[in-house]
Amino acid sequence: MTFIPLWDKLLHLVSPMILTAIGYGILSEFLKGQNITARSPWLFLIFGFSFAGICGVFWEFWEWSWDMLLDMNLQRYKSGNTVFVGRRVLQDTMGDLLINVIGSFLLSFFAWYKSRYNSAYFEKFRVQFLNS
């Protein structure tokens, strides 16, 4: 039963945007002590996009695992007592992965556009720890 239509797709669109930004932060941490503005923005764009993409794939593994273990129907392979077959089974998973790629691409495109006019754009994603 779905209370909010397309909620799953909305989550699969927004979460890779957040994960792409987290990927930028992770890469910034790897480049600790280095001048980020001297790096090509493509390093950040490719890393962030790839990080979000692989997280989406692992999420689908997670859904599949719980469907197999507890029959939770996270991948929408059935409706009520009707079990889908063929392409109908793959629609939810492949749709989720496609929406994941689109979400990551949208944030990557936005970051590429912003970095063209501000060479220090990815500096904003550098992880900063608060002093206790």
Side-chain angles (χ1 to χ4, degrees), residues 19-77:
L19 289 167
T20 301
I22 290 171
Y24 298 157
I26 291 170
L27 183 58
S28 297
E29 191 63 23
F30 287 152
L31 297 173
K32 186 185 289 187
Q34 297 183 26
N35 183 6
I36 288 178
T37 59
R39 299 287 174 189
S40 170
W42 288 102
L43 177 65
F44 285 89
L45 295 170
I46 291 170
F47 186 86
F49 181 82
S50 300
F51 179 74
I54 198 69
C55 287
V57 169
F58 282 127
W59 182 257
E60 292 303 317
F61 288 164
W62 174 263
E63 286 183 353
W64 175 79
S65 298
W66 287 108
D67 285 350
M68 294 299 290
L69 293 172
L70 298 176
D71 196 33
M72 294 179 70
N73 197 30
L74 296 173
Q75 294 183 301
R76 310 281 193 262
Y77 65 92

Side-chain angles (χ1 to χ4, degrees), residues 3 8 17 20 24 30 40 49 59 88 91 101 111 119 127:
F3 293 110
D8 181 53
M17 292 178 180
T20 301
Y24 298 157
F30 287 152
S40 170
F49 181 82
W59 182 257
R88 183 78 167 111
Q91 282 182 323
V101 168
S119 62
V127 177

